[in-house]
Amino acid sequence: MKKLLRHPATQVALGWILHAYMVLVRRTVRWRHENIECVDGVLASGEGALALCWHGRIPVALAVAKVWWKKPRACLVSPSGDGEFFAQAMAHARFPSIRASSAKKGDSAKARAVVAAFREAMKLVGDGGVLIVTPDGPRGPNEIMAPGAAQIAKRTGAPVFMMGIAVSPAARAGSWDRAMIGRPFGRGAVVWDGPLHVPPDADDGAIDALMIDWSARLSQLTRRAEALVGYVDPQAAR
C-alpha cells in the first residue's frame, strides 16, 4: 500500500484531490481575520518575510492565500514521498515549493541538498518574497518548532509573521499532527501576529529559547482562532 501511495500517478491524483479540497474550503468557509493589518507594512514594501502556521493546519491553510499572493512566494516542503502530493497541491494553488528537510548525521548527500534548499529559501526572502513554513514539520513533534525558520530569519533579517488557523465544524486526522479537516460552508478564523525578529547575534542557545517562546505563541494564536469559530478539541475536552 505504501508503495502504491508513493507511485507518481497516485501522487499526481492526490495532489489534485488535496488542491480541490483546499480550494473548496477557502471559497465556502466564512473566514474572519484578526489583526491582519500587522502584515500591511511588509505587503506594501519590497521586504521579504517568513510566515508560520502549524503543520496540522495545512488542509485549511489556503485561507491566507489572497494575502500572500501579493508577493513572490514559496513553501518549504519536505522532499519525502509524503511531501510530494502536498507540493503538487500547493503548486496548483500558485505556491511553488522549496524542498528541504533535516539531514541525518553522516548523510553528506542529503546535507548538501539541505544547504542548497536553504540558500534558495534565503534568496527568495532576500529578494522580497515570502516563505511559508510549517515549523513543526515534516515529522513533529506536533506544535514544537524546529529552528530552521528562525535561522533563515536571522540570516536575512526578515520579519516573521505567525498565523493561527481554525475551522469549525472540523474533524481531526489520526496523523502525528492531528490535521484539521474542516467542513465546507462552516466558519473559519485566522489570527495574525508579527512582525517578529531574530536578533542577528542570536546564538544556538538563544534560538532554542526563542523557539520555545514562539511555539507557545503560535499555539496561543491557534487556540484563539479555535475559540473564535467555536471549535472544541475533543481531546482537550476529556
Side-chain angles (χ1 to χ4, degrees):
M1 177 60 73
K2 191 172 184 179
K3 185 176 181 180
L4 175 62
L5 289 175
R6 293 193 175 185
H7 189 279
T10 305
Q11 294 286 303
V12 170
L14 289 173
W16 278 112
I17 291 169
L18 177 59
H19 172 253
Y21 165 77
M22 295 175 79
V23 170
L24 180 65
V25 169
R26 180 177 70 83
R27 291 181 177 176
T28 64
V29 166
R30 300 185 302 278
W31 289 102
R32 171 180 178 180
H33 291 260
E34 184 172 273
N35 195 36
I36 193 173
E37 60 274 8
C38 73
V39 302
D40 287 349
V42 77
L43 292 177
S45 73
E47 185 179 23
L50 291 90
L52 314 182
C53 70
W54 289 132
H55 196 277
R57 304 307 158 111
I58 284 174
V60 295
L62 282 192
V64 305
K66 284 187 176 181
V67 176
W68 297 123
W69 275 337
K70 298 173 184 177
K71 294 183 75 68
R73 63 211 165 268
C75 299
L76 201 61
V77 179
S78 166
S80 68
D82 294 335
E84 175 60 29
F85 74 90
F86 168 63
Q88 293 193 28
M90 295 307 293
H92 299 323
R94 292 183 282 156
F95 283 88
S97 295
I98 296 172
R99 310 299 296 274
S101 185
S102 58
K104 294 181 181 179
K105 189 174 182 179
D107 189 341
S108 58
K110 191 171 183 180
R112 287 193 297 271
V114 169
V115 170
F118 272 75
R119 285 177 177 168
E120 184 180 355
M122 287 189 289
K123 184 178 188 306
L124 170 78
V125 175
D127 289 346
V130 60
L131 182 69
I132 314 295
V133 184
T134 54
D136 56 342
R139 292 179 294 271
N142 187 31
E143 297 197 4
I144 301 294
M145 286 191 189
Q151 292 287 0
I152 294 172
K154 171 188 170 180
R155 295 179 189 185
T156 61
V160 177
F161 296 89
M162 296 188 182
M163 307 172 295
I165 308 172
V167 177
S168 183
R172 303 297 288 272
S175 52
W176 67 265
D177 61 354
R178 302 191 62 238
M180 175 170 272
I181 314 299
R183 295 182 189 174
F185 304 100
R187 291 185 296 160
V190 183
V191 183
W192 299 77
D193 190 19
L196 307 174
H197 292 86
V198 179
D201 59 349
D203 60 16
D204 289 345
I207 288 178
D208 288 344
L210 196 65
M211 291 301 90
I212 294 172
D213 177 65
W214 282 12
S215 293
R217 193 164 187 160
L218 183 52
S219 288
Q220 289 172 359
L221 295 173
T222 305
R223 303 292 88 78
R224 168 64 179 167
E226 292 172 356
L228 288 174
V229 299
Y231 174 80
V232 178
D233 188 337
Q235 284 195 3
R238 290 175 185 173

